[in-house]
Amino acid sequence: AQHPTPRGNFSVIQRDKDHKSNLYGNYVDAAGYAVVSNVDVTKDPRPAGTTFLGARMPYYMRFHDGAGMHAGYLPGFPDSHGCVRLPDRMAEIFYENAPLGTPVRVVN
């Protein structure tokens, strides 16, 4: 994977129910329509007249650098930027039951 999930023992260091990525998302026009999708702001130039809209990461629980667990689409193969995507309802349950400091263990 281009952005592998870090392996090891961590703990929840940030929680944000309505988190949005500050690196990955879409460049949108004034009406909110995507002009360029799935961008990386560190690599993809922003077209004139657009703004950056970070990807939604509901029930985000950061455990290492930019990696965390959150609700998201599960395509059946590694396709995140290092995060662990969870089914919506499971992300909500985990979020409700994992305060700061909760141990996180990531294995193969």
Side-chain angles (χ1 to χ4, degrees):
Q2 187 174 356
H3 301 279
T5 303
R7 305 308 201 255
N9 295 306
F10 310 99
S11 62
V12 174
I13 56 175
Q14 178 193 9
R15 292 166 31 89
D16 183 358
K17 186 175 181 181
D18 299 307
H19 191 73
K20 290 183 179 61
S21 176
N22 62 348
L23 293 177
Y24 307 108
N26 301 325
Y27 289 131
V28 300
D29 64 17
Y33 293 103
V35 174
V36 184
S37 299
N38 198 26
V39 302
D40 176 339
V41 296
T42 66
K43 299 175 184 173
D44 301 308
R46 184 177 57 82
T50 66
T51 57
F52 174 73
L53 180 62
R56 292 183 64 249
M57 301 163 71
Y59 301 107
Y60 184 68
M61 295 163 283
R62 182 186 311 270
F63 58 82
H64 179 74
D65 290 338
M69 299 174 279
H70 61 83
Y73 174 68
L74 304 172
F77 54 89
D79 192 39
S80 75
H81 293 97
C83 284
V84 176
R85 295 182 189 174
L86 303 167
D88 292 351
R89 182 67 184 132
M90 291 310 300
E92 183 179 1
I93 290 169
F94 281 26
Y95 188 87
E96 290 171 354
N97 291 283
L100 290 175
T102 298
V104 176
R105 184 171 180 214
V106 181
V107 297
N108 289 349

